[in-house]
Amino acid sequence: MITEIAALLLAAQGTPEFAPLVAGETAKATVLDAEREINVILPPDYADEPERQWPVVITLDGGIQQDLMLGVGIHNWNRLWGRSKSAIWVGIETKDRQRELLPPTQDANEEARYPTAGESAVFRKWLVDEILPLIASRYRGNGEVFLVGESAAGHFVVETWATGTKAFSGYAAISPSLQWDGQSLSHQITERAANISPLYLSLADEGGATQEGILRLVEALPDDQRWCFSDRREELLHANSLHGLLPEALQFLMPTPADWLEEFGFVLRCDQQGKASGD
């Protein structure tokens, strides 16, 4: 009966007209013999403020069927609460993650399991030399560009940070796969870091060689650099670390002057940090 009444009311009012829901823009780009999506989600007030410029967040594994919508949703939730700044969100789709995101390995088991792995340097050059200039020419960025990734993409973030490149203003590596190649990346970073750009780093329940590599990296980070290490071994799994820590990573990279965040539980937790993090 209720359904019939609702149908009659709807008929009397007229059927609502539906239109496409446009979330952003997408383009195709090819690197390492694979075409992939470059997905861009603009701030909601982008068109209404033609003189304004925004930070740019580059997220790896950013295909529509990957982490794009999760990241955008968390970013918008942060923005609504004033937890982190509004930004232009760019998702870079990956097709063969081990090939694109990891360097070569000398580990026989890894070589056998991932025979195509090891071309992160090619992927990085493409990202820096082709995609960043494309984004800069098409959208109103303010000059700040942040790189965010998790797991293998987190290794790519740390490796990119370690190169000393000036292409990015800050980095977030959530549960990075630093067990790769006998933890070689963390072994390489034993002296003062080559890049002073801010770095957010986290650890979940990975344990073993992954944990060893991440903790070794933390110990190598200089006190006078802005960095934040969130140790969530007792709280998060590798599978949900991105969901749990991306809000904090964005808060660290793009802080706001909001003074109500702690009241609502939006606390940036740095279990260890560089002294500059509190400046």
Side-chain angles (χ1 to χ4, degrees), residues 21 28 51 67 72 74 76-77 80 82 104 134 138 158 165 170 198 201 204 216 232-233 238 253 270 274:
L21 179 63
K28 298 290 186 181
E51 303 301 320
D67 299 332
V72 170
I74 289 174
N76 281 333
W77 180 63
L80 288 171
L134 175 64
R138 184 173 176 84
V158 174
T165 177
L201 186 67
R216 183 182 298 108
R232 301 302 177 91
R233 280 176 280 184
H238 186 80
L253 293 176
C270 299

Side-chain angles (χ1 to χ4, degrees), residues 143-278:
E144 293 181 298
V145 183
F146 301 100
L147 182 63
V148 178
E150 179 262 350
S151 193
H155 190 289
F156 183 91
V157 169
V158 174
E159 187 184 20
T160 303
W161 170 84
T163 67
T165 177
K166 304 300 182 185
F168 299 98
S169 310
Y171 302 81
I174 298 172
S175 286
S177 299
L178 293 189
Q179 80 283 352
W180 183 256
D181 187 30
Q183 309 172 42
S184 62
L185 182 57
S186 65
H187 282 291
Q188 293 167 17
I189 306 172
T190 55
E191 300 179 357
R192 180 176 175 84
N195 194 330
I196 62 171
S197 297
L199 174 66
Y200 178 91
L201 186 67
S202 70
L203 173 64
D205 74 331
E206 291 82 12
T210 304
Q211 176 175 305
E212 290 175 7
I214 292 174
L215 294 180
R216 183 182 298 108
L217 172 60
V218 170
E219 290 304 311
L221 295 174
D223 287 341
D224 58 351
Q225 179 185 336
R226 185 167 176 256
W227 57 270
C228 172
F229 171 54
S230 184
D231 186 345
R232 301 302 177 91
R233 280 176 280 184
E234 303 300 322
E235 301 157 61
L236 293 175
L237 307 179
H238 186 80
N240 64 15
S241 60
L242 179 63
H243 310 65
L245 293 176
L246 183 56
E248 285 191 22
L250 297 177
Q251 183 178 356
F252 172 76
L253 293 176
M254 301 185 295
T256 71
D259 60 3
W260 57 81
L261 298 179
E262 186 172 355
E263 176 184 355
F264 292 99
F266 300 142
V267 178
L268 173 61
R269 172 176 148 184
C270 299
D271 296 280
Q272 292 178 246
Q273 61 183 317
K275 294 177 181 176
S277 299

